[in-house]
Amino acid sequence: MTDFDRLADGPLPRVIVFDLDGTLWNPEMYQLWGGAPFKPHRTDPSIMIDRQGTEVRLIGESRPVLQTLTVDPRWSRTYLALSSTCDVPQWAAELLEKFTFTNREGKEVPMGSLFDDRIEVYKANKAKQHQTILKKVQDIDPTVTEFAQMLFFDNQTDNVHYVSRLGVPSFYCPDGMTPGTFERGLAMWRKAQKSKI
């Protein structure tokens, strides 16, 4: 398990963007036969069950990473966003409503609320989605001025390629947010910042 306390020591991205299918959860929506409606697992808050009994699980460190980024005040200037081209966006929307996390006030809230309105889930080149995300952040915080201030995690090489071309440090994680993935992605982002100096 990653020591998330230690990770906040040093420069931090202003925007962190995550893919959904195969990055934050598995299986991907197109692999589900049942789909919505989803119901929570009886004992594990990181599992939802579709109507055919298939489990959708938050991958590895997805929950502790998102929870830390949400409640730790050292990450308070970092905005979270989603960039996804999942095949059944309405199922993803339901899962974002039903997976729950704890917010800064200690209240249980839907997973989707961690990202505010920075949820881009539709068929499009992810470079376009990142352009939209940056504009949304700039509209509320003009100190976020460039793609280099963002960090992106995705399990598909083509998405990493397209988004990297914008200047967004993009971390390829073929197995999703498994232990250590966030730490390696953050280290890559910090190295990219040093190379600009």
Side-chain angles (χ1 to χ4, degrees):
M1 193 63 83
T2 303
D3 177 6
F4 293 110
D5 279 344
R6 181 175 48 80
L7 294 186
D9 297 332
L12 302 175
R14 297 302 312 283
V15 185
I16 301 179
V17 185
F18 297 94
D19 169 48
L20 281 175
D21 287 0
T23 298
L24 290 182
W25 63 44
N26 261 332
E28 302 201 17
M29 295 299 97
Y30 79 87
Q31 296 172 309
L32 297 176
W33 290 101
F38 297 91
K39 63 181 181 181
H41 188 275
R42 285 186 183 179
T43 58
D44 191 333
S46 294
I47 299 175
M48 287 288 159
I49 302 168
D50 83 352
R51 62 191 170 96
Q52 293 245 333
T54 303
E55 293 183 347
V56 179
R57 293 174 169 262
L58 295 179
I59 297 170
E61 289 185 342
S62 294
R63 178 172 289 282
V65 164
L66 291 174
Q67 193 61 77
T68 299
L69 296 176
T70 299
V71 301
D72 188 329
R74 292 174 295 178
W75 292 92
S76 62
R77 295 184 71 240
T78 297
Y79 299 91
L80 304 182
L82 293 174
S83 173
S84 172
T85 59
C86 86
D87 291 272
V88 195
Q90 62 269 32
W91 291 357
E94 182 175 330
L95 288 167
L96 288 171
E97 190 63 31
K98 290 188 171 176
F99 278 120
T100 59
F101 284 75
T102 304
N103 68 9
R104 283 194 177 102
E105 288 74 47
K107 293 180 182 175
E108 191 174 273
V109 295
M111 180 177 177
S113 70
L114 308 183
F115 308 94
D116 294 324
D117 71 335
R118 298 174 297 277
I119 298 175
E120 306 300 312
V121 182
Y122 48 84
K123 290 291 182 188
N125 184 301
K126 290 201 177 182
K128 179 182 176 184
Q129 293 183 345
H130 277 70
Q131 289 168 337
T132 302
I133 289 166
L134 181 60
K135 184 175 185 317
K136 285 182 174 181
V137 173
Q138 287 175 329
D139 285 346
I140 58 172
D141 187 342
T143 67
V144 182
T145 59
E146 56 185 30
F147 289 112
Q149 292 172 287
M150 304 171 81
L151 168 59
F152 175 48
F153 291 90
D154 199 293
N155 68 316
Q156 294 187 9
T157 53
D158 57 337
N159 294 327
V160 167
H161 171 73
Y162 289 126
V163 175
S164 293
R165 288 171 62 182
L166 288 176
V168 177
S170 303
F171 191 76
Y172 173 55
C173 47
D175 300 314
M177 298 303 293
T178 51
T181 295
F182 184 78
E183 183 174 12
R184 291 191 297 275
L186 182 59
M188 177 208 67
W189 181 85
R190 286 174 172 158
K191 185 176 180 182
Q193 304 312 299
K194 284 183 180 177
S195 69
K196 289 169 54 184
I197 298 171

